[in-house]
């Protein structure tokens, strides 16, 4: 295959630098990123603690560095939207994060909703579907996207769930490494399958070392395992089932994957996520350079 030429902007998840938001923004600028993705669930960007003036200060500061926000992370952890007792609070929080994103200049919020059950007639499926219908309508009404990260289920199963929501406010944050590492799904084919929903992507790579139940990674209501990003990072660094590796060293076929994104007309961000390693700034800098090679 010939090497594809891309025009996509390159983003970095600020939290991957592990130094706080302001310092992380400076490092994103230093490594040559075009934009940033920032966690907005708790801490410095929690919408509950941000006044109107503070929101403007953040937006102005980010713009002063020549950066834009590719997306906010609105992942609330736990069992996603599988637990009906928690859903109303999570839905409300998700709406506030979407509103914050619009004020900061992005209409994309990325998240995990929990593994979509195989049985569409199950109670958990119904609970997730009801929550996502409401969030999808809310997002659509404000021209925003609540983007589910790929990985917990196959792309075909996720598409069937999305097709059933009626609106495209709930869409896709495509992470090719998650698919490689956990379900073993083909991310290249996944791009074509989910082409109508992809609004943001993560640039990450990994290898699958053995079989693993996705519930042991992402949790599942009633399974006693909850989504915990620190746990997933530990599994990706030292686990026996999968491992996150630098871009180009794993199971993602980058020329084919980027060509697929070109083929479907995706013009959005390739946002670098690095959840392992002791030298995140160096690793992210190398990832930026890796992606820039495809710019021709």
């Amino acid at each position: 295959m010939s090497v594809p030429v891309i025009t996509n902007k390159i983003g970095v998840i600020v939290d991957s630098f592990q130094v706080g938001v302001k310092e992380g923004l400076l490092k994103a600028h230093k490594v040559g990123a075009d934009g940033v993705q920032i966690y907005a669930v708790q801490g410095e960007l929690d919408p509950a603690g941000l006044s109107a003036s503070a929101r403007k200060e953040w937006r102005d500061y980010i713009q002063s560095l020549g950066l834009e926000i590719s997306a906010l992370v609105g992942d609330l952890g736990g069992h996603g939207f599988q637990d009906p007792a928690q859903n109303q609070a999570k839905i409300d929080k998700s709406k506030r994060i979407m509103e914050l994103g619009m004020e900061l200049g992005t209409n994309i919020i990325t998240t995990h909703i929990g593994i979509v059950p195989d049985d569409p007639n199950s109670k958990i499926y119904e609970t997730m579907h009801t929550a996502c219908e409401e969030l999808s309508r809310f997002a659509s009404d404000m021209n925003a996207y609540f983007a589910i990260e790929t990985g917990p289920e196959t792309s075909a199963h996720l598409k069937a769930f999305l097709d059933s929501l009626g609106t495209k406010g709930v869409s896709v944050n495509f992470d090719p490494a998650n698919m490689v590492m956990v379900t073993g799904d083909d991310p290249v084919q996944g791009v074509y399958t989910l082409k109508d929903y992809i609004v943001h992507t993560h640039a990450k790579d990994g290898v699958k070392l053995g079989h693993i139940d996705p519930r042991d990674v992402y949790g599942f209501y009633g399974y006693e395992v909850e989504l915990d990003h620190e746990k997933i990072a530990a599994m990706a660094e030292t686990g026996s089932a999968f491992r996150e590796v630098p871009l180009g060293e794993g199971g993602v076929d980058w020329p084919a994957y980027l060509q697929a994104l070109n083929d479907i007309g995706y013009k959005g961000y390739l946002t670098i996520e690095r959840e392992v390693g002791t030298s995140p700034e160096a690793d992210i800098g190398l990832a930026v350079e890796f992606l820039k090679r495809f710019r021709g």
Side-chain angles (χ1 to χ4, degrees):
M1 171 181 284
S2 61
V3 177
V5 177
I6 64 171
T7 59
N8 305 82
K9 292 179 179 179
I10 297 170
V12 173
I13 295 184
V14 166
D15 305 74
S16 292
F17 290 110
Q18 304 171 27
V19 292
V21 178
K22 279 210 166 180
E23 184 65 22
L25 288 165
L26 289 170
K27 289 184 180 296
H29 172 71
K30 182 180 176 182
V31 300
D34 302 300
V36 289
Q37 186 177 7
I38 311 173
Y39 275 75
V41 172
Q42 57 189 8
E44 295 174 87
L45 269 293
D46 184 342
L50 284 179
S51 65
S53 60
R55 295 171 187 224
K56 184 179 185 304
E57 286 174 16
W58 275 114
R59 181 166 182 162
D60 291 347
Y61 179 68
I62 292 164
Q63 289 179 342
S64 76
L65 296 173
L67 297 168
E68 58 186 5
I69 300 179
S70 69
L72 294 181
V73 181
D75 188 352
L76 302 178
H79 292 301
F81 294 94
Q82 294 181 337
D83 182 353
Q86 295 186 12
N87 272 5
Q88 195 54 57
K90 286 188 168 185
I91 289 168
D92 291 344
K93 177 88 172 188
S94 298
K95 290 177 178 179
R96 302 295 82 77
I97 296 172
M98 280 191 258
E99 290 167 346
L100 173 64
M102 297 297 280
E103 289 185 58
L104 295 179
T106 182
N107 65 345
I108 299 172
I109 308 301
T110 69
T111 192
H112 284 88
I113 62 167
I115 300 172
V116 178
D118 291 334
D119 181 6
N121 297 311
S122 71
K123 185 64 178 176
I124 292 177
Y125 190 102
E126 180 187 352
T127 299
M128 294 175 69
H129 195 275
T130 299
C132 287
E133 274 187 320
E134 180 175 346
L135 287 163
S136 190
R137 287 193 301 269
F138 184 86
S140 290
D141 287 347
M142 63 194 303
N143 193 32
Y145 298 98
F146 195 61
I148 301 169
E149 190 164 326
T150 54
E153 58 281 304
T154 66
S155 58
H157 189 51
L158 179 57
K159 180 182 184 297
F161 179 79
L162 294 170
D163 285 346
S164 72
L165 294 177
T167 56
K168 291 184 179 177
V170 169
S171 50
V172 168
N173 173 44
F174 200 100
D175 188 315
N178 288 351
M179 301 174 78
V180 166
M181 293 189 294
V182 181
T183 61
D185 202 15
D186 177 7
V188 176
Q189 182 55 50
V191 168
Y192 296 115
T193 299
L194 292 166
K195 62 183 174 62
D196 294 331
Y197 294 101
I198 300 171
V199 296
H200 191 263
T201 73
H202 279 168
K204 191 168 74 180
D205 209 343
V207 291
K208 187 173 176 66
L209 303 173
H211 173 74
I212 190 166
D213 187 327
R215 296 177 297 178
D216 289 326
V217 182
Y218 297 106
F220 199 84
Y221 185 54
Y223 190 66
E224 297 185 5
V225 177
E226 293 189 0
L227 176 64
D228 181 328
H229 286 284
E230 290 185 3
K231 179 202 73 177
I232 293 175
M235 294 172 76
E237 189 152 25
T238 61
S240 60
F242 60 87
R243 186 161 296 134
E244 183 185 325
V245 297
L247 296 193
E249 297 182 16
V252 178
D253 182 342
W254 285 93
Y257 172 65
L258 294 173
Q259 184 60 56
L261 291 174
N262 271 349
D263 289 347
I264 68 165
Y266 174 73
K267 302 299 183 185
Y269 265 87
L270 305 171
T271 297
I272 295 160
E273 180 177 33
R274 185 68 171 148
E275 296 188 288
V276 305
T278 57
S279 305
E281 185 173 357
D283 292 344
I284 291 166
L286 290 172
V288 171
E289 293 308 311
F290 176 83
L291 292 175
K292 283 184 175 179
R293 289 182 218 154
F294 292 94
R295 282 185 167 171

